[in-house]
Amino acid sequence: MEKYVVVLAAGKGTRMKSKLYKVLHKVCGKTMVEHVVDAARGVNPAEVVTIVGTGAEDVKKVLADKSKFAFQEKQLGTGDAVMTAREELGDKDGATLVVTGDTPLFTTATFDELFKYHAEKGNAATVLTAEAPNPFGYGRIIRDDQGNVLRIVEQKDGKPEELKVKEINTGVFCFDNKKLFEALKHVNNDNAQSEYYLTDVLEILRNAGERVGAYKMPDFSESLGVNDRIALAQATKTMQRRINEQHMRDGVSFVDPDTAYIDADVKIGNDTVIEGNVVIKGNTEIGSDCYITNGSRIVDSKIGNNVTITSSTIEESEMDDNTDIGPNSHLRPKAIIRKGAHIGNFVEVKKAEIGENTKVGHLTYVGDATLGKDINIGCGTIFSNYDGVKKFHTNVGDHAFIGAGSTLIAPINVADHAFIAADTTVTKDVNKYDMAIGRGRQVNKPDYWHKLPLSQDKDWD
Ligand code: UD1
Ligand code: CA
């Protein structure tokens, strides 16, 4: 039987109090609606239709070709939202999974089980339910004495007796597709919120003599619906635990998994060790046998094998195998650290390639530069790349030696095997095997101490 998926993502999300449209809030670096769509695509549906409304263009951009879209002009309720998919899906034979776009924790496995249960029972509608520790805000599942599902009652419509029920509507349903769209025609908005509720379809189908049921999940945590920032933080915590546990199963060690914040799409090789208070975000790939200490933050970067990152920040950069950085250094966008290179402490690198086995040990700024291999950059070297208007480039050849405290004023070329004496301000190109020295000459004045004001009131030997 063909499967279809409808994702509801047209609501504004008033309770988030946000400029950002609700389903675009991120959980571990990925928007909620992408989490939902990705999990739903795991069931191999023939089609996924996402209902968009407020912020439609932004949602479409995020999902791109992962989904088709239907436009809900006014947010008249979840039932009206599903109805907008009618043109796309209305006449299809099959089973349709309906999911709300603000429930980011559902897994493909759960959707698969729901489909299976729905088919086994021969239901026209099956709602996925869970026992909520605090059911406030969710629709409640109302059953008769035999346990048959009668209907779903929303928080704002429930009688006190009904609101005591802890079994909730997770917002996920499986429907016989044609019966769903037929029943939707009969949904009205005669309720506390004057909305067309999808949840009413259950009672409508039941009254029409169709089989209606519920599949109860063993664990509530997957079904958390995110309506406010408190739930957003809870969802993030649950998702983070899930992500880190998967990495651990794949051979990554965490010293304190509770404080390692790893985004959903990050890849990490085995035998890498991650200490507490580490943040790894976005489209980042980390190799095997790396060691990443507390306080490190790595964003959209590619890290090779056997790399040590000590309390440093790395953004949109690359570190090849057998490199190291830190403590307290910063790779800004487009820093490329080639094999075996060493970036020590308090070093900032921006838009620069550091060649193989080159060492930049201490207190240095390298910006807009190409460095060859086996170079030593002395402490406190400054690549002066900016005249206030434009940026200029510096080249340093293989085996060059840049003495401590030097300033290289770009544009400048320092050839292979060039030697820059310490504290030189380099303003002219330096040829191969040459030494450049450009510093104020030192003058020593004998016995000058006694002429200084500070010597006056005392008798010095
Ligand atoms: C809904 C369910 C509730 C369930 C809960 C689970 C209804 C009437 N209520 O309540 O039983 O326990 O989800 O999380 O279905 N949306 C649209 N168009 C609309 C209205 C909503 O696309 O006109 C989308 C929203 O973007 C959201 C989803 O539907 O992604 C759910 O809407 P929301 O307002 O959050 O419903 P809840 O009050 O949480
Ligand atoms: Ca919700």
Side-chain angles (χ1 to χ4, degrees), residues 144-279:
D144 66 14
D145 297 344
Q146 279 89 55
N148 300 309
V149 178
L150 297 178
R151 62 181 184 279
I152 300 173
V153 172
E154 291 303 300
Q155 177 74 37
K156 288 185 179 151
D157 303 293
K159 301 190 185 88
E161 274 312 293
E162 294 171 324
L163 295 178
K164 280 186 192 149
V165 172
K166 292 205 157 178
E167 187 184 6
I168 57 106
N169 167 23
T170 65
V172 179
F173 298 84
C174 201
F175 293 104
D176 173 283
N177 186 65
K178 281 187 170 161
K179 289 176 182 166
L180 164 65
F181 285 99
E182 187 50 42
L184 279 171
K185 292 182 196 162
H186 304 287
V187 172
N188 64 39
N189 65 351
D190 186 10
N191 54 53
Q193 304 187 80
S194 299
E195 283 187 9
Y196 295 86
Y197 291 163
L198 173 65
T199 44
D200 286 353
V201 165
L202 250 67
E203 197 179 6
I204 291 167
L205 285 171
R206 193 186 148 81
N207 290 343
E210 299 288 352
R211 290 180 74 95
V212 166
Y215 174 69
K216 193 164 162 186
M217 298 174 67
D219 174 20
F220 168 76
S221 70
E222 250 189 55
S223 59
L224 181 74
V226 175
N227 297 322
D228 59 23
R229 310 265 183 165
I230 295 166
L232 183 68
Q234 283 167 345
T236 299
K237 211 166 199 67
T238 305
M239 182 68 76
Q240 193 61 76
R241 191 178 318 122
R242 197 187 284 172
I243 290 168
N244 292 359
E245 283 175 3
Q246 187 56 47
H247 285 302
M248 289 186 257
R249 277 192 283 274
D250 292 342
V252 178
S253 285
F254 286 85
V255 174
D256 181 9
D258 289 344
T259 63
Y261 308 101
I262 318 287
D263 272 359
D265 293 330
V266 169
K267 296 188 179 65
I268 309 176
N270 68 319
D271 286 322
T272 283
V273 179
I274 296 176
E275 290 189 349
N277 275 316
V278 166
V279 177

Side-chain angles (χ1 to χ4, degrees), residues 15 22 102 225-227:
R15 290 165 279 182
K22 175 162 77 173
D102 61 352
V226 175
N227 297 322

